[in-house]
């Protein structure tokens, strides 16, 4: 069974391709490499022994996108990861985010319709919940105002798919990821931020390796157990496996409606300072960090209720914060070793 993965050269797409292949699926990828290189495809091949074809196509170009679907009429589903995801950038470049994330989605849906693709899985985000205080969040928690244009593209993307699914035969799943972290245990694929990272875990590993001089903890005066923000850090291979499970769920017609939504988190809230401690413990590296002011737009705390995904998708997150940090660190070290050996 063949699956079309958009954004397959990116962080979560690449890990998902590995899990799909390990579960017997064939995969083709579409990625314009606007925010990636083809490096992770080499890692996928080393891990799985399978060479994955990537079509270097901008999904905002309908004609080119259509040509990929035309060539792959035998797919059982599409997993749509491709999007721009930098929250801060989206605040300064809202039109870029609306144009890219929504046009690409609409083009994918047009092709899904034209080629009668039966199943669709969409990358959504916990950012759709906005500044919610109802914790842990369940899928029914009302979506508050989006805190960034990026988050708004995810809220709108969900609605577009919901409306589309109401009047078309495609079965869809919206997966709301919490904070994906870590890397494949082989250290052959991992997160590869182009330029300066914003997310906590790459900032931690890049500080520890010396690429960044110092980490700033954005605030320690919140009303949380140690004053720093709380998040639900979930290993990327657990996220990846949920996509395989979601696709299998749709293929086996176990879904109850044409469009279902699932939270993908561990259910555990971890503070920034606890994440740093976990990293220091597994790496033996003392991290150079200071406490700085709060970051604009940060929610104080958010973590998932993941019962629905556990029960319906028969999915279980297996990897905790320490192993998440360990694999992220091993990946960072492998990147350095690669540079040193060149
Ligand atoms: P990523 O940037 O590593 O991968 C996204 C890939 O999509 C990139 O390789 C990029 O080149 C490609 N892409 C973007 N626009 C494209 C277009 N128009 N045509 C073709 N390719 C295009 O990001 P990721 O972390 O792997 O995220 C994957 C998805 O998950 C995104 O939709 C993101 O919004 C969502 N998500 C990510 C996180 C996170 O923290 N990483 C959390 C929640 C949701
Ligand atoms: C985590 C915590 C920071 C960097 C973002 C998106 C969200 C989703 C996941 C896509 C926060 C703190 C961070 C640093 C710090 N992505 N931090 N120093 O903001 O929870 O979520 O990624 O959908 O939409 O908003 O993730 O990794 O940036 O931050 O103290 O240098 O780490 O304040 O509390 P965030 P993050």
């Amino acid at each position: 069974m063949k699956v079309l993965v958009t954004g397959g050269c990116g962080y979560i797409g690449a890990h998902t391709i590995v899990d799909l292949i390990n579960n017997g699926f064939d995969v083709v990828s579409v990625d314009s490499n606007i925010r990636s290189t083809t490096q992770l495809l080499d890692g996928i091949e080393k891990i799985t022994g399978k060479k994955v074809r990537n079509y270097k196509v901008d999904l905002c170009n309908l004609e080119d996108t259509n040509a990929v679907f035309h060539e792959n009429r035998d797919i059982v589903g599409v997993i749509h990861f491709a999007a721009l995801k930098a929250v801060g950038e989206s605040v300064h470049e809202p039109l870029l985010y609306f144009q890219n994330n929504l046009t690409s989605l609409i083009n994918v849906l047009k092709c899904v319709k034209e080629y009668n693709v039966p199943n669709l899985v969409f990358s959504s985000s916990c950012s759709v919940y906005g500044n919610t205080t109802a914790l842990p969040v369940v899928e029914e928690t009302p979506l508050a105002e989006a805190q960034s244009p990026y988050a708004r593209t995810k809220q709108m993307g969900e609605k577009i798919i919901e409306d589309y699914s109401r009047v078309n035969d495609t079965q869809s799943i919206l997966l709301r990821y919490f904070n994906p972290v870590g890397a494949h245990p082989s250290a052959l694929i991992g997160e590869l931020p182009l330029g300066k990272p914003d997310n906590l875990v790459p900032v931690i590993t890049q500080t520890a390796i010396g690429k960044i001089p110092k980490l700033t903890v954005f605030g320690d005066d919140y009303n949380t157990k140690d004053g720093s923000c709380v998040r639900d850090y979930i290993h990327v291979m657990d996220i990846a496996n949920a996509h395989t499970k979601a696709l299998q769920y749709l293929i086996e017609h176990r879904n109850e409606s044409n469009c279902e939504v699932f939270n993908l988190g561990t259910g555990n809230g971890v503070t920034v300072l606890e994440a740093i401690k976990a990293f220091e413990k597994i790496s033996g590296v003392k991290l150079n960090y200071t406490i700085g002011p709060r970051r604009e737009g940060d929610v104080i705390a958010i973590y998932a209720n993941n019962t629905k995904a556990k029960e319906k998708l028969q999915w279980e997150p297996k990897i905790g914060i320490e192993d998440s940090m360990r694999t992220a660190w091993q990946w960072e070290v492998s990147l350095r070793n690669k540079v040193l050996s060149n």
Side-chain angles (χ1 to χ4, degrees):
M1 284 195 282
K2 196 203 281 182
V3 185
L4 193 151
V5 168
T6 74
C9 298
Y11 174 45
I12 306 173
H15 288 82
T16 301
I17 291 176
V18 168
D19 196 75
L20 287 166
I21 293 174
N22 287 343
N23 283 285
F25 288 96
D26 286 331
V27 180
V28 288
S29 163
V30 185
D31 196 312
S32 62
N33 296 135
I34 183 175
R35 289 297 154 92
S36 56
T37 64
T38 53
Q39 183 179 332
L40 298 185
L41 295 178
D42 299 336
I44 293 171
E45 188 176 355
K46 286 194 184 114
I47 296 167
T48 64
K50 292 249 168 81
K51 200 173 180 67
V52 170
R53 166 147 193 212
N54 180 61
Y55 293 85
K56 194 168 172 170
V57 158
D58 180 354
L59 294 160
C60 294
N61 181 321
L62 180 58
E63 210 178 303
D64 291 353
T65 305
N66 195 294
V68 176
F69 276 79
H70 188 79
E71 227 178 282
N72 293 280
R73 269 166 292 187
D74 51 342
I75 53 175
V76 290
V78 173
I79 307 184
H80 182 49
F81 293 102
L84 300 177
K85 63 160 184 180
V87 174
E89 181 186 51
S90 80
V91 173
H92 298 288
E93 298 277 359
L95 296 183
L96 173 70
Y97 274 68
F98 290 122
Q99 164 70 23
N100 188 74
N101 292 2
L102 299 181
T103 307
S104 56
L105 171 62
I106 291 167
N107 286 347
V108 166
L109 288 173
K110 282 181 177 169
C111 295
V112 159
K113 183 175 165 71
E114 180 168 346
Y115 294 97
N116 293 315
V117 179
N119 303 304
L120 173 75
V121 179
F122 175 66
S123 297
S124 188
S125 159
C126 66
S127 60
V128 298
Y129 291 110
N131 235 329
T132 185
T133 46
L135 292 174
V137 284
V138 290
E139 288 79 356
E140 294 74 29
T141 300
L143 306 189
E145 177 76 11
Q147 294 298 299
S148 67
Y150 164 76
R152 208 180 303 280
T153 69
K154 292 297 174 188
Q155 288 186 342
M156 292 166 84
E158 287 196 358
K159 289 292 173 209
I160 289 169
I161 296 171
E162 251 177 65
D163 286 343
Y164 171 86
S165 303
R166 209 167 281 132
V167 290
N168 288 281
D169 290 334
T170 311
Q171 312 291 305
S172 309
I173 285 187
L174 316 172
L175 296 177
R176 292 178 181 157
Y177 320 152
F178 281 64
N179 288 53
V181 294
H184 190 269
S186 65
L188 290 166
I189 57 172
E191 194 167 2
L192 209 50
L194 299 179
K196 196 185 161 302
D198 295 317
N199 293 119
L200 180 66
V201 174
V203 171
I204 288 178
T205 59
Q206 291 199 11
T207 305
I209 209 108
K211 283 189 199 164
I212 296 177
K214 191 190 275 181
L215 179 151
T216 304
V217 174
F218 298 138
D220 72 344
D221 55 353
Y222 288 102
N223 184 19
T224 62
K225 57 181 148 177
D226 61 22
S228 61
C229 290
V230 172
R231 296 288 183 274
D232 188 337
Y233 299 97
I234 174 155
H235 196 273
V236 66
M237 286 310 297
D238 282 331
I239 293 263
N241 182 245
H243 291 76
T244 308
K245 292 262 165 75
L247 202 57
Q248 288 165 337
Y249 174 81
L250 293 176
I251 290 169
E252 291 160 14
H253 301 294
R254 286 186 279 127
N255 53 318
E256 282 162 32
S257 74
N258 264 11
C259 184
E260 289 185 30
V261 54
F262 294 94
N263 283 340
L264 295 184
T266 64
N268 301 318
V270 170
T271 68
V272 176
L273 293 170
E274 284 172 338
I276 290 173
K277 277 193 201 96
F279 174 80
E280 289 182 329
K281 183 175 165 201
I282 61 87
S283 66
V285 177
K286 188 90 195 72
L287 208 64
N288 185 18
Y289 72 89
T290 50
I291 309 294
R294 294 178 174 195
R295 180 171 71 175
E296 206 185 326
D298 264 340
V299 298
I300 302 170
I302 187 158
Y303 51 97
N305 175 318
N306 59 12
T307 309
K308 187 175 172 193
K310 280 180 170 167
E311 286 181 3
K312 294 183 111 186
L313 302 181
Q314 288 153 24
W315 166 82
E316 184 87 51
K318 297 196 175 91
I319 308 169
I321 186 72
E322 287 189 5
D323 283 327
S324 291
M325 290 296 184
R326 185 175 289 112
T327 54
W329 180 229
Q330 286 164 343
W331 166 245
E332 190 68 63
V333 169
S334 83
L335 288 176
R336 180 188 55 191
N337 292 345
K338 208 169 167 188
V339 171
L340 292 178
S341 69
N342 279 338

